[in-house]
Amino acid sequence: MGKKVTIRDIARLAGVSVTTVSQILNGKGERFSKKTRDKILKLRDEYGYVPDFNARSLILRQSSSMIGVLVPNITSPFFSTFVEGVQHVAQHERMIPLIFSADRNAELEQNYLSQMLERSIDGLIIASATMTTDTVNQIIGARDVPYILFDQNYAQEGTRVLTDDYRGGTLAAQHLADLGHHKIAILEPNELSENFTQRLTGFQDCLRKNHIELDVDHNVIKAPLSLQGGYNAAAAVIKTGVTAAFAGNDDMAIGLMRGLKEQGVKVPDQISVMGYDDIYLDEYVSPQLTTIRQPIMDLGIGAAKMLLNKIHSDQEQEQIQRFPVELIQRQSTARVRTPL
């Protein structure tokens, strides 16, 4: 057979009804003889029969939950680990996750969200720096589709999964202050989402409590939120004459370290570098990266579990789940060297 084998083909080859084949293939064929069951299973394997999901759902009058997961960039170690957490729940709860990566493009995010809704999605996990609750509700319209917002829109209503970004920023600043750094640069994304605003506000507030002045006009450097963004910012960081740099995420920090190295600047001897997130790459770069850890896998697991609760609950109560952050000190930060 050159075409895709159907359940009707298997039934015709076996000389039985479609219902008989369906029940045997779905583990409900106990009332049929072992000979018939073995024959059906052998034909399935011989012809590589794969059940059509939609047809199977109609026959069995049941379906698995299909959820959509929208992330800014699936190639990012942060979001790939986050999605891994979602999938961990999905495989145990009969959920089928559809993953969409919009490359931080607002128009593409909205397009993907519309496409997911057209596929009769049961729920959504949305990680977006640009999409507000109002935008999501406008696209969803009258459809009764539950959704979870991840790591954003602190002031908005809705079920959300958050980390304490303000505290994360204060932990980073206090660490650099404890090491004696007073000349510090910040690498921040070109467009600040709410979680980054909280993160950087905490950092600056903590510097002020330690009587450290931040030169906002010269030492706050805008860059894309990526390895390349951090790499390209190296020259600007060197020009500031700082002894430490705090990057908005680990991708930027790792890119910055490479850029500094290529320009002859030693990390941490000349400039300490600190990131945020604790992605898996941090332990494999040299020097290993000091960072603020977010429990990324737990965030994905938490988001998926909360979405399941919304899908299966009749209550409209909104929930917020907060996850802790912690300082992870490695080799990319060190105490300021006093001149001889």
Side-chain angles (χ1 to χ4, degrees):
M1 294 183 184
K3 64 176 184 177
K4 179 180 177 180
V5 176
T6 68
I7 194 170
R8 294 186 181 280
D9 294 325
I10 298 295
R12 178 175 54 80
L13 290 167
V16 297
S17 70
V18 171
T19 301
T20 299
V21 175
S22 174
Q23 291 184 353
I24 290 174
L25 293 182
N26 288 290
K28 298 182 178 181
E30 295 84 0
R31 66 189 183 91
F32 301 105
S33 68
K34 184 177 184 304
K35 181 179 179 181
T36 300
R37 296 199 303 269
D38 289 346
K39 186 176 183 179
I40 298 299
L41 296 176
K42 182 178 179 182
L43 286 168
R44 177 199 63 185
D45 297 339
E46 182 179 347
Y47 288 98
Y49 169 73
V50 177
D52 179 88
F53 177 77
N54 292 323
R56 181 175 179 271
S57 297
L58 289 172
I59 292 171
L60 297 178
R61 297 189 180 276
Q62 63 182 14
S63 66
S64 299
S65 296
M66 188 178 296
I67 63 169
V69 184
L70 179 62
V71 297
N73 188 348
I74 194 63
T75 64
S76 162
F78 180 93
F79 284 107
S80 63
T81 302
F82 175 80
V83 168
E84 188 178 347
V86 174
Q87 292 176 324
H88 177 78
V89 176
Q91 73 178 84
H92 289 94
E93 300 292 339
R94 292 183 55 80
M95 294 194 304
I96 299 174
L98 299 180
I99 315 299
F100 290 81
S101 176
D103 198 26
R104 303 185 186 280
N105 182 310
E107 184 177 349
L108 191 57
E109 285 181 343
Q110 295 184 35
N111 181 37
Y112 280 157
L113 182 55
S114 297
Q115 288 188 37
M116 285 189 277
L117 292 170
E118 290 172 5
R119 285 160 173 75
S120 300
I121 212 81
D122 291 288
L124 296 161
I125 296 173
I126 302 170
S128 166
T130 63
M131 201 173 290
T132 65
T133 305
D134 290 340
T135 305
V136 175
N137 289 336
Q138 185 177 0
I139 296 172
I140 290 178
R143 302 178 182 92
D144 185 21
V145 179
Y147 63 87
I148 302 289
L149 293 176
F150 166 64
D151 209 19
Q152 61 155 348
N153 301 325
Y154 282 69
Q156 300 187 54
E157 295 181 356
T159 300
R160 307 190 298 286
V161 178
L162 303 171
T163 56
D164 193 343
D165 285 293
Y166 183 89
R167 173 166 169 73
T170 63
L171 289 174
Q174 190 61 55
H175 173 63
L176 294 178
D178 289 343
L179 293 175
H181 294 282
H182 290 268
K183 296 179 179 180
I184 300 171
I186 294 177
L187 268 65
E188 68 177 29
N190 293 318
E191 297 182 3
L192 285 176
S193 59
E194 184 62 27
N195 60 315
F196 277 100
T197 299
Q198 292 277 336
R199 192 174 300 178
L200 298 174
T201 299
F203 188 86
Q204 294 181 50
D205 286 352
C206 184
L207 289 185
R208 280 191 285 270
K209 288 181 181 178
N210 283 276
H211 308 291
I212 298 172
E213 292 293 328
L214 178 68
D215 188 341
V216 177
D217 293 331
H218 299 96
N219 291 9
V220 177
I221 300 165
K222 295 279 188 178
L225 201 63
S226 63
L227 293 165
Q228 190 68 43
Y231 176 81
N232 291 340
V237 171
I238 295 170
K239 188 177 179 180
T240 63
V242 298
T243 61
F246 171 57
N249 73 356
D250 288 344
D251 283 347
M252 296 176 84
I254 291 171
L256 174 61
M257 287 202 299
R258 177 176 172 180
L260 293 174
K261 181 179 180 180
E262 290 186 1
Q263 296 188 53
V265 176
K266 294 181 179 179
V267 176
D269 295 352
Q270 293 171 275
I271 297 180
S272 288
V273 175
M274 186 166 187
Y276 200 106
D277 284 338
D278 196 31
I279 61 176
Y280 62 83
L281 290 177
D282 292 354
E283 294 186 276
Y284 295 92
V285 294
S286 182
Q288 293 181 354
L289 183 64
T290 296
T291 190
I292 300 299
R293 173 180 290 167
Q294 299 192 75
I296 307 172
M297 178 78 76
D298 291 343
L299 287 167
I301 291 173
K305 287 184 175 179
M306 288 180 75
L307 182 60
L308 267 180
N309 289 337
K310 290 200 73 174
I311 291 172
H312 298 306
S313 175
D314 294 330
Q315 299 180 357
E316 294 295 326
Q317 182 180 2
E318 305 296 353
Q319 302 176 59
I320 298 177
Q321 187 172 5
R322 298 184 184 274
F323 288 83
V325 295
E326 62 177 312
L327 169 69
I328 303 298
Q329 184 173 356
R330 298 192 179 100
Q331 290 80 46
S332 67
T333 54
R335 183 166 295 278
V336 174
R337 288 192 173 187
T338 55
L340 298 175

